[in-house]
mmCIF file of all heavy atoms in Angstrom:
data_model
loop_
_atom_site.group_PDB
_atom_site.id
_atom_site.type_symbol
_atom_site.label_atom_id
_atom_site.label_comp_id
_atom_site.label_asym_id
_atom_site.label_seq_id
_atom_site.Cartn_x
_atom_site.Cartn_y
_atom_site.Cartn_z
ATOM 1 N N GLU M 41 -16.798 -18.326 -4.870
ATOM 2 C CA GLU M 41 -17.186 -18.938 -6.147
ATOM 3 C C GLU M 41 -16.954 -17.983 -7.321
ATOM 4 O O GLU M 41 -16.536 -18.409 -8.398
ATOM 5 C CB GLU M 41 -18.642 -19.400 -6.092
ATOM 6 C CG GLU M 41 -18.853 -20.590 -5.164
ATOM 7 C CD GLU M 41 -17.841 -21.715 -5.393
ATOM 8 O OE1 GLU M 41 -17.676 -22.135 -6.565
ATOM 9 O OE2 GLU M 41 -17.207 -22.167 -4.433
ATOM 10 N N VAL M 77 -12.556 -8.307 3.618
ATOM 11 C CA VAL M 77 -11.833 -7.813 2.434
ATOM 12 C C VAL M 77 -10.330 -8.076 2.540
ATOM 13 O O VAL M 77 -9.694 -8.522 1.575
ATOM 14 C CB VAL M 77 -12.097 -6.307 2.229
ATOM 15 C CG1 VAL M 77 -11.297 -5.782 1.031
ATOM 16 C CG2 VAL M 77 -13.584 -6.041 2.026
ATOM 17 N N SER M 100 0.423 -5.967 1.654
ATOM 18 C CA SER M 100 0.112 -5.778 3.056
ATOM 19 C C SER M 100 0.673 -4.428 3.508
ATOM 20 O O SER M 100 0.923 -3.559 2.675
ATOM 21 C CB SER M 100 0.658 -6.936 3.900
ATOM 22 O OG SER M 100 0.170 -6.849 5.232
ATOM 23 N N GLN M 108 7.183 -0.369 18.247
ATOM 24 C CA GLN M 108 7.987 -0.289 19.475
ATOM 25 C C GLN M 108 9.495 -0.294 19.208
ATOM 26 O O GLN M 108 10.283 0.001 20.093
ATOM 27 C CB GLN M 108 7.623 -1.448 20.411
ATOM 28 C CG GLN M 108 6.191 -1.409 20.921
ATOM 29 C CD GLN M 108 5.842 -0.113 21.634
ATOM 30 O OE1 GLN M 108 6.515 0.260 22.597
ATOM 31 N NE2 GLN M 108 4.825 0.592 21.153
ATOM 32 N N LYS M 109 9.882 -0.641 17.987
ATOM 33 C CA LYS M 109 11.313 -0.634 17.654
ATOM 34 C C LYS M 109 11.775 0.796 17.373
ATOM 35 O O LYS M 109 10.965 1.690 17.104
ATOM 36 C CB LYS M 109 11.571 -1.482 16.403
ATOM 37 C CG LYS M 109 11.594 -2.972 16.642
ATOM 38 C CD LYS M 109 12.005 -3.709 15.378
ATOM 39 C CE LYS M 109 13.471 -3.500 15.043
ATOM 40 N NZ LYS M 109 13.906 -4.261 13.859
ATOM 41 N N VAL M 177 1.076 15.684 12.878
ATOM 42 C CA VAL M 177 1.824 14.945 13.893
ATOM 43 C C VAL M 177 3.274 14.727 13.473
ATOM 44 O O VAL M 177 3.559 14.448 12.306
ATOM 45 C CB VAL M 177 1.168 13.599 14.227
ATOM 46 C CG1 VAL M 177 -0.191 13.806 14.865
ATOM 47 C CG2 VAL M 177 1.045 12.718 12.991
ATOM 48 N N LYS M 199 8.798 -10.689 -12.415
ATOM 49 C CA LYS M 199 9.601 -11.323 -13.462
ATOM 50 C C LYS M 199 10.687 -12.240 -12.906
ATOM 51 O O LYS M 199 11.154 -13.140 -13.599
ATOM 52 C CB LYS M 199 10.274 -10.259 -14.341
ATOM 53 C CG LYS M 199 9.339 -9.483 -15.252
ATOM 54 C CD LYS M 199 10.110 -8.668 -16.268
ATOM 55 C CE LYS M 199 11.079 -7.685 -15.622
ATOM 56 N NZ LYS M 199 11.790 -6.856 -16.626
ATOM 57 N N LYS M 230 1.762 29.480 1.753
ATOM 58 C CA LYS M 230 2.246 30.560 2.629
ATOM 59 C C LYS M 230 1.667 30.496 4.042
ATOM 60 O O LYS M 230 1.850 31.426 4.828
ATOM 61 C CB LYS M 230 1.893 31.922 2.011
ATOM 62 C CG LYS M 230 2.444 32.150 0.605
ATOM 63 C CD LYS M 230 3.970 32.064 0.580
ATOM 64 C CE LYS M 230 4.497 32.353 -0.833
ATOM 65 N NZ LYS M 230 5.969 32.186 -0.904
ATOM 66 N N SER M 251 7.175 2.829 12.127
ATOM 67 C CA SER M 251 6.915 1.631 11.319
ATOM 68 C C SER M 251 7.724 1.647 10.022
ATOM 69 O O SER M 251 7.314 1.088 9.013
ATOM 70 C CB SER M 251 5.419 1.503 11.014
ATOM 71 O OG SER M 251 4.926 2.662 10.362
ATOM 72 N N TRP M 269 11.973 9.542 -0.689
ATOM 73 C CA TRP M 269 10.612 10.090 -0.633
ATOM 74 C C TRP M 269 10.538 11.535 -1.122
ATOM 75 O O TRP M 269 9.507 11.967 -1.647
ATOM 76 C CB TRP M 269 10.029 9.959 0.769
ATOM 77 C CG TRP M 269 10.734 10.702 1.862
ATOM 78 C CD1 TRP M 269 11.702 10.230 2.681
ATOM 79 C CD2 TRP M 269 10.509 12.066 2.259
ATOM 80 N NE1 TRP M 269 12.108 11.201 3.565
ATOM 81 C CE2 TRP M 269 11.389 12.337 3.333
ATOM 82 C CE3 TRP M 269 9.654 13.077 1.820
ATOM 83 C CZ2 TRP M 269 11.433 13.577 3.963
ATOM 84 C CZ3 TRP M 269 9.694 14.314 2.459
ATOM 85 C CH2 TRP M 269 10.581 14.554 3.509
ATOM 86 N N ARG M 275 7.942 14.344 -7.908
ATOM 87 C CA ARG M 275 7.299 13.793 -9.104
ATOM 88 C C ARG M 275 5.783 13.754 -8.939
ATOM 89 O O ARG M 275 5.032 13.997 -9.893
ATOM 90 C CB ARG M 275 7.855 12.405 -9.398
ATOM 91 C CG ARG M 275 9.294 12.455 -9.926
ATOM 92 C CD ARG M 275 9.936 11.086 -9.975
ATOM 93 N NE ARG M 275 9.094 10.113 -10.637
ATOM 94 C CZ ARG M 275 9.038 8.825 -10.297
ATOM 95 N NH1 ARG M 275 9.761 8.376 -9.287
ATOM 96 N NH2 ARG M 275 8.251 7.997 -10.954
#
Side-chain angles (χ1 to χ4, degrees):
E41 290 312 309
V77 178
S100 189
Q108 296 304 304
K109 282 186 70 177
V177 295
K199 289 192 302 182
K230 303 300 182 184
S251 57
W269 63 267
R275 288 169 50 214

